[in-house]
Amino acid sequence: MKLALFAFGQEDHVGIVEEDGIFDLTRAMQAYDLFNKNIQTAPVTSIHEMLDTNMVRPAVIEPVVDFIDRHNLRQALTVPEGTADHPLRAPIRRPGKIIALGGNYSFPGYPDPEEPPFFFKVATSVIGSDEPIIYKKIMKQVEPEIELAAVIGARASDVPEEEAMQYVAGYTVLNDVTARDLQNAAWDIQRPWEYTKSIDTFTPVGPHLVLPEAVSDPHDLAMIMRVNGEVVAEASTNTMLFRIPFLIEYLSQYMTLEPGDIIATGTPAHPEALHPGDVIELDVAEVGVLRNPIVAEG
């Protein structure tokens, strides 16, 4: 199953991604609750909210879908995906934590790290698929980074590696956009550099949240990066140095991971810089294609 967050009028709705569009789970849940309880319930307008309340599970979703099918309402509750009327949002719009890995793939000339080198990105940098990445006037070198991201589905503290995958709600694609010139300048003067990855619009996430049962092996997925339709990098998650179960164990010994937190597992590719007018596509097999245009500021 793939979940999407999309615009419906002035609200966000949660939907199930299907071949012919997005089945509007928000309206379906309202109809189901009204029929069974005869009360008006607050609409579910966030995948993050569903994770917080343990609603992303078959016992909650399947009765709703069965009810809609019994009453022949599926077509009426299905909207086209990615249209101007129903654009996609980032599946987790404001994660509590975005924990990103640096150096989680081997690179020639650089030693492999002994422990996961991680840093944080701020939630205000998150955008969804097809939203523009803004190339600010102060920048000269902006680079994309293709990453598989794991979304946490339950509170996790001091989790052993062998139990870690139970805490993964699903997967999505994340672009760890970096103002490389600003980052290099910050390194030179020993200034904190994380802000060069947390600039507004510099964390595209999406297009969907893909639940674990829909991904055969998160550590064996083909990754393709395209700029303006041309392939500029190909790789696989099978060369990841620190895998997701270990990362959850490692991180949760220091900090509590909460529903909606995102772990970006690092990039295997560093292609050439982007420019205004480009369109960047990050394609991770079984997870989806995250697409964003690059737009000059102003």
Side-chain angles (χ1 to χ4, degrees):
M1 182 183 294
K2 298 181 180 180
L3 297 181
L5 189 67
F6 65 98
F8 191 89
Q10 299 301 310
E11 297 181 335
D12 289 342
H13 280 201
V14 178
I16 299 173
V17 180
E18 300 180 329
E19 289 186 4
D20 58 346
I22 300 177
F23 171 66
D24 192 333
L25 190 58
T26 295
R27 287 189 291 157
M29 284 181 165
Q30 284 185 289
Y32 176 81
D33 287 344
L34 284 168
F35 183 83
N36 287 284
K37 302 175 183 177
N38 196 32
I39 58 173
Q40 179 67 47
T41 58
V44 175
T45 59
S46 161
I47 297 174
H48 199 162
E49 173 190 346
M50 292 184 68
L51 294 175
D52 274 336
T53 53
N54 196 27
M55 294 176 68
V56 182
R57 52 193 176 96
V60 173
I61 296 175
E62 287 178 359
V64 175
V65 175
D66 290 343
F67 166 80
I68 295 301
D69 286 342
R70 286 199 311 271
H71 291 83
N72 298 313
L73 295 173
R74 183 179 286 265
Q75 184 175 357
L77 292 177
T78 298
V79 302
E81 180 177 354
T83 62
D85 288 338
H86 304 294
L88 291 176
R89 309 299 196 195
I92 308 295
R93 294 193 73 176
R94 287 293 179 266
K97 293 187 286 294
I98 305 168
I99 307 167
L101 272 291
N104 201 21
Y105 291 83
S106 295
F107 286 99
Y110 292 88
D112 290 343
E114 296 181 1
E115 294 187 52
F118 67 90
F119 58 93
F120 297 95
K121 300 191 71 161
V122 301
T124 51
S125 65
V126 172
I127 59 172
S129 190
D130 294 315
E131 292 189 71
I133 298 168
I134 305 301
Y135 196 115
K136 290 183 174 289
K137 296 173 184 177
I138 60 173
M139 301 169 187
K140 296 180 181 178
Q141 186 177 356
V142 173
E143 297 180 2
E145 295 185 11
I146 183 171
E147 306 201 14
L148 174 68
V151 178
I152 298 298
R155 191 175 185 274
S157 178
D158 290 316
V159 174
E161 185 174 355
E162 59 271 18
E163 298 176 10
M165 295 304 279
Q166 301 173 25
Y167 293 85
V168 175
Y171 305 96
T172 190
V173 185
L174 184 145
N175 190 348
D176 180 19
V177 183
T178 306
R180 194 71 68 193
D181 57 318
L182 301 183
Q183 184 186 51
N184 290 339
W187 278 339
D188 288 342
I189 60 174
Q190 297 184 329
R191 177 181 178 180
W193 51 266
E194 286 85 351
Y195 77 96
T196 67
K197 290 173 169 285
S198 286
I199 295 164
D200 289 349
T201 75
F202 269 35
T203 310
V205 178
H208 313 120
L209 176 67
V210 183
L211 303 195
E213 59 268 22
V215 176
S216 56
D217 182 356
H219 304 104
D220 191 20
L221 301 175
M223 309 171 81
I224 301 173
M225 183 183 293
R226 305 182 189 90
V227 176
N228 302 325
E230 179 182 348
V231 175
V232 296
E234 294 184 78
S236 172
T237 60
N238 64 17
T239 57
M240 195 183 296
L241 297 175
F242 301 104
R243 297 193 168 197
I244 294 167
F246 178 81
L247 292 174
I248 291 174
E249 178 187 65
Y250 182 85
L251 294 167
S252 70
Q253 72 179 318
Y254 298 115
M255 65 196 78
T256 299
L257 305 176
E258 297 182 318
D261 285 352
I262 295 175
I263 300 174
T265 58
T267 185
H270 288 281
E272 294 184 4
L274 299 171
H275 302 91
D278 288 341
V279 175
I280 177 72
E281 293 180 310
L282 307 184
D283 186 343
V284 178
E286 302 181 29
V287 180
V289 180
L290 175 63
R291 179 185 302 104
N292 297 94
I294 315 302
V295 176
E297 182 182 33

